[in-house]
Amino acid sequence: MSVFTGASETLRLSGIDDDINTSGRYQAVKPRILAMDRANGADEIRRLRASPDVIMGSVAAVTETGSLVIASGSGSQLPAYAGGAAHAIWIVGAQKVVPDLNAALRRVEDHCLPLESARAQEVYGWPSAINRLLVLNAEPHPGRGTVLLLREAIGF
């Protein structure tokens, strides 16, 4: 079973990202992608990211009515989140729960983007941007998506 971890401070801080990608217990997609030649393997990289068996990540916000809001600079995880993966698991810190979609979008712009931009600047040498935005309102395939809402604040 292939597992792809989307870029997520929540997964990194919790240790889940490291466990999935370095323990050897999973068919981790990320290490495989990182080892591939970007120029010659671009199509295969895109396919691996878009349709793993399981995608794990987090979200920028969850509304009280259950909508998930995901912002991305590259969009690499969005196809899998939107339905390309057989199963999606989102680990979400309690601080990400907001009343409605307007509050979720404000959270993305005012809170998440500055933090992610600073992280990206340090790691990649350039700031982040909200180039792609995905809102998931419901899951048409029962059992495909799981949200694990933590009682603690973790991630952005």
Side-chain angles (χ1 to χ4, degrees):
M1 182 175 292
S2 64
V3 181
F4 176 48
T5 54
S8 163
E9 277 297 283
T10 301
L11 288 188
R12 186 187 70 77
L13 292 169
S14 68
I16 294 170
D17 189 73
D18 189 51
D19 188 47
I20 297 291
N21 292 306
T22 65
S23 70
R25 293 190 310 231
Y26 306 94
Q27 292 177 17
V29 172
K30 191 177 285 183
R32 184 172 167 196
I33 288 170
L34 292 173
M36 296 174 76
D37 176 62
R38 292 258 189 251
N40 295 322
D43 283 341
E44 181 63 13
I45 290 169
R46 179 182 46 78
R47 282 190 283 276
L48 287 168
R49 285 178 173 161
S51 60
D53 294 313
V54 177
I55 176 84
M56 290 192 75
S58 192
V59 301
V62 177
T63 67
E64 290 176 358
T65 57
S67 294
L68 305 178
V69 177
I70 302 116
S72 179
S74 71
S76 64
Q77 75 281 36
L78 299 184
Y81 284 166
H87 300 281
I89 302 169
W90 294 281
I91 313 298
V92 182
Q95 82 281 12
K96 297 180 181 184
V97 177
V98 297
D100 54 34
L101 188 55
N102 286 333
L105 296 175
R106 278 193 311 278
R107 184 174 199 288
V108 168
E109 290 274 345
D110 299 341
H111 179 76
C112 300
L113 180 58
L115 294 171
E116 175 57 20
S117 216
R119 186 200 71 81
Q121 185 71 46
E122 184 176 314
V123 173
Y124 307 120
W126 58 82
S128 189
I130 303 168
N131 294 326
R132 309 274 192 288
L133 192 63
L134 177 65
V135 178
L136 300 172
N137 291 316
E139 178 55 56
H141 305 287
R144 180 190 169 271
T146 301
V147 175
L148 298 173
L149 184 59
L150 305 180
R151 293 176 191 253
E152 62 191 70
I154 185 169
F156 297 155

